[in-house]
């Protein structure tokens, strides 16, 4: 997948400065790039790396000069680079055609151009949309609906009735639609509470390896369009994750949490049940958000229990001084005892 610098600049909304006929056929880091691979610079401190690179073409901010290079100038170089990479890199296929060892139920509906890898299982009444790829050893249970142009990597499991939109990518080992962790205590034991809801995943969602998303209890679990979940994220039953929210690895979300749009969550964060994060909230890594807490729109919180970033930093400074303060208290106590 090659393009000229002029073609690429037009497609990503960049301003061309240099040889528009230069052929580009890939992307790379400056130190590893070949002459016809694209690199990017997002700050003046990285100009020396780009200048020393074998790459002939650089995406750069408007105020950067790199002699001898063709520049694609853009106000957001990293974003422009990501868009360029999508046009220059061809994704490796997950499967090609329908493998003879794949098990496809007679009543499954398989659209044109679908590929299904070795030992994958497609159950009755499942629908697989056009040009979707299903990886080896994946299981698509009865009644699942998968849209078009999806990429389902090896060993993904979709429980019955899961609904997936278009252009969704699910990485290896993910499990979607398992029963939520819901029990009613009584009579000296725990009684399983019904887990009869569904999981609905919107368009353009990406789900990391070994992530788990539980089905709803009496309601449904919903992941809106454009959400990005890292590896090893757990989403509990009845959760509602708003559009274009990003959640980093090892985050655990208890049941019935509601997250708004464009929320950002750092790695290893934990959420008690029924938390509510409004649009644009930011949760720092390893934060613990207590059950029922509301984080307001645009607010940044950190720590356990999660509090405003300003308060967290103030308290952290005092926490770092505790050994010093303890020593001073001991010294004062010793002086008092001598009196």
């Amino acid at each position: 997948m090659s393009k000229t610098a002029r073609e690429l600049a037009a497609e990503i909304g960049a301003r061309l400065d240099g040889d528009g006929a230069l052929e580009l056929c890939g992307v790379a880091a400056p130190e590893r790039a070949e002459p016809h691979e694209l690199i990017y610079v997002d700050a003046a401190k990285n100009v020396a790396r780009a200048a020393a690179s074998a790459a002939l073409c650089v995406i750069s901010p408007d105020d950067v000069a790199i002699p001898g290079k063709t520049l694609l100038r853009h106000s957001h170089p990293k974003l422009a680079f990501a868009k360029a990479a999508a046009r220059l890199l061809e994704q490796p296929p997950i499967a090609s055609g329908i493998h003879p060892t794949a098990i496809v139920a007679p009543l499954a509906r398989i659209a044109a151009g679908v590929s299904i890898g070795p030992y994958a299982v497609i159950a009755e009444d499942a629908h697989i949309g056009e040009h979707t790829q299903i990886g080896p050893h994946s299981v698509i249970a009865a009644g699942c609906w998968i849209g078009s142009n999806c990429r389902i990597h090896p060993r993904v499991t979709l429980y019955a009735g899961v609904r997936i939109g278009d252009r969704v990518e699910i990485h290896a080992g993910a499990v979607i639609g398992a029963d939520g962790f819901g029990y009613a205590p009584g009579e000296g034991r725990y009684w399983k509470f019904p887990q009869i809801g569904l999981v609905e995943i919107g368009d353009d969602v990406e789900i990391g390896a070994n992530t788990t998303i539980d089905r709803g209890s009496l309601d449904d679990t919903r992941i809106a369009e454009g959400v990005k979940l890292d590896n090893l994220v757990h989403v509990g039953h009845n959760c509602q994750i708003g559009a274009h929210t990003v959640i980093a690895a090892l985050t655990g979300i208890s049941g019935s949490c509601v997250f708004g749009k464009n929320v950002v969550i750092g790695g290893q964060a934990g959420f008690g049940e029924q938390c509510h994060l409004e649009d644009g909230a930011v949760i720092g890594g390893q934060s613990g958000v207590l059950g029922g807490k509301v984080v307001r729109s645009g607010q940044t919180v950190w720590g356990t229990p999660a509090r405003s970033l300003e308060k967290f930093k103030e308290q952290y400074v005092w926490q770092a001084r505790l050994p010093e303060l303890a020593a001073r208290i001991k010294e004062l106590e010793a002086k008092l005892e001598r009196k």
Side-chain angles (χ1 to χ4, degrees):
M1 296 174 67
S2 65
K3 292 182 179 291
T4 66
R6 180 176 291 105
E7 290 171 338
L8 195 59
E11 291 181 15
I12 66 174
R15 180 169 63 85
L16 175 65
D17 184 358
D19 182 8
L22 177 65
E23 288 283 338
L24 300 170
C25 59
V27 300
E31 293 78 10
R32 301 179 61 179
E34 299 292 335
H36 292 276
E37 291 180 317
L38 181 68
I39 64 174
Y40 83 100
V41 167
D42 58 0
K45 65 181 181 180
N46 294 320
V47 168
R49 293 176 61 205
S53 175
L56 298 174
C57 188
V58 184
I59 294 178
S60 72
D62 288 331
D63 57 352
V64 166
I66 311 175
K69 306 291 187 184
T70 292
L71 302 181
L72 305 183
R73 297 191 180 279
H74 196 282
S75 57
H76 299 286
K78 189 172 183 178
L79 172 61
F81 186 77
K83 290 181 176 180
R87 290 161 170 80
L88 293 174
L89 300 178
E90 187 171 359
Q91 291 182 309
I94 295 171
S96 181
I98 298 178
H99 196 273
T101 62
I103 299 174
V104 180
L107 295 181
R109 289 163 288 174
I110 310 299
V114 168
S115 296
I116 303 174
Y119 301 102
V121 176
I122 314 296
E124 299 287 2
D125 296 319
H127 169 94
I128 313 297
E130 292 182 349
H131 305 294
T132 283
Q133 300 178 53
I134 309 291
H137 295 277
S138 289
V139 176
I140 312 301
C144 286
W145 178 286
I146 300 176
S148 62
N149 296 294
C150 293
R151 289 170 56 84
I152 312 297
H153 288 266
R155 297 187 183 277
V156 168
T157 299
L158 304 186
Y159 279 59
V162 169
R163 302 184 70 82
I164 307 289
D166 297 332
R167 301 175 302 281
V168 172
E169 184 153 15
I170 306 177
H171 290 278
V175 177
I176 300 176
D179 283 358
F181 192 68
Y183 298 89
E187 301 175 359
R189 55 169 289 187
Y190 285 95
W191 299 81
K192 188 176 180 70
F193 196 79
Q195 305 294 312
I196 57 175
L198 302 177
V199 176
E200 296 182 356
I201 295 176
D203 298 341
D204 301 302
V205 169
E206 185 163 2
I207 297 170
N210 293 314
T211 282
T212 56
I213 303 174
D214 288 346
R215 67 175 55 250
S217 175
L218 303 178
D219 198 355
D220 295 334
T221 302
R222 297 182 180 90
I223 312 295
E225 70 272 8
V227 168
K228 311 300 180 188
L229 305 181
D230 199 356
N231 302 332
L232 295 165
V233 170
H234 174 70
V235 180
H237 59 204
N238 296 346
C239 286
Q240 315 289 309
I241 310 296
H244 306 293
T245 287
V246 293
I247 304 177
L250 295 169
T251 291
I253 305 170
S254 297
S256 300
C257 289
V258 177
F259 295 175
K261 300 176 182 177
N262 299 300
V263 170
V264 176
I265 299 173
Q268 295 186 318
F271 296 85
E273 62 182 357
Q274 298 181 0
C275 290
H276 184 188
L277 309 184
E278 295 182 350
D279 294 352
V282 177
I283 312 299
Q286 295 190 325
S287 293
V289 183
L290 302 180
K293 183 176 177 63
V294 177
V295 179
R296 298 300 179 188
S297 180
Q299 185 179 15
T300 298
V301 300
W302 217 287
T304 301
R307 58 270 200 198
S308 71
L309 180 59
E310 293 76 15
K311 183 175 288 186
F312 171 81
K313 290 193 289 188
E314 178 186 0
Q315 294 173 343
Y316 190 82
V317 169
W318 284 106
Q319 182 181 342
R321 292 188 63 190
L322 285 177
E324 172 198 340
L325 296 173
R328 291 173 62 182
I329 291 171
K330 287 181 180 179
E331 183 180 345
L332 291 171
E333 289 174 341
K335 288 181 179 178
L336 289 172
E337 288 175 359
R338 287 196 292 270
K339 290 181 180 181

